[in-house]
Amino acid sequence: MEFDTQDYLKKALLDTQERVRDFMNYAEQVDGGELQKFFRNYAESESRQAQKMRSYLDQQK
């Protein structure tokens, strides 16, 4: 099975969304402080990347 651009974007989007969920979960599980802030910021960064991927996917339609 060959992948096209849209397939790669969909896979990358799903992976990125999963990382957002993971890092938000990590932020909830750790005891406050700098590490919690790091995980939240990382989740936000990944979320912005996911939004860009979604935009690219929408353009492909």
Side-chain angles (χ1 to χ4, degrees):
M1 180 174 138
E2 277 196 42
F3 286 92
D4 62 13
T5 301
Q6 194 169 21
D7 293 326
Y8 287 119
L9 280 169
K10 287 177 182 179
K11 172 75 168 102
L13 177 60
L14 288 174
D15 291 346
T16 303
Q17 289 171 329
E18 187 172 333
R19 281 193 303 274
V20 170
R21 285 188 296 273
D22 288 345
F23 282 105
M24 286 303 291
N25 186 44
Y26 299 160
E28 293 172 6
Q29 300 300 318
V30 299
D31 297 330
E34 200 62 30
L35 187 56
Q36 186 177 48
K37 185 177 178 181
F38 167 78
F39 284 136
R40 285 183 199 270
N41 288 338
Y42 201 98
E44 290 172 9
S45 174
E46 289 290 302
S47 176
R48 285 189 293 276
Q49 296 302 317
Q51 290 172 350
K52 287 180 186 177
M53 284 182 228
R54 170 53 65 193
S55 175
Y56 289 133
L57 267 172
D58 291 344
Q59 292 173 11
Q60 295 284 319
K61 291 181 180 180

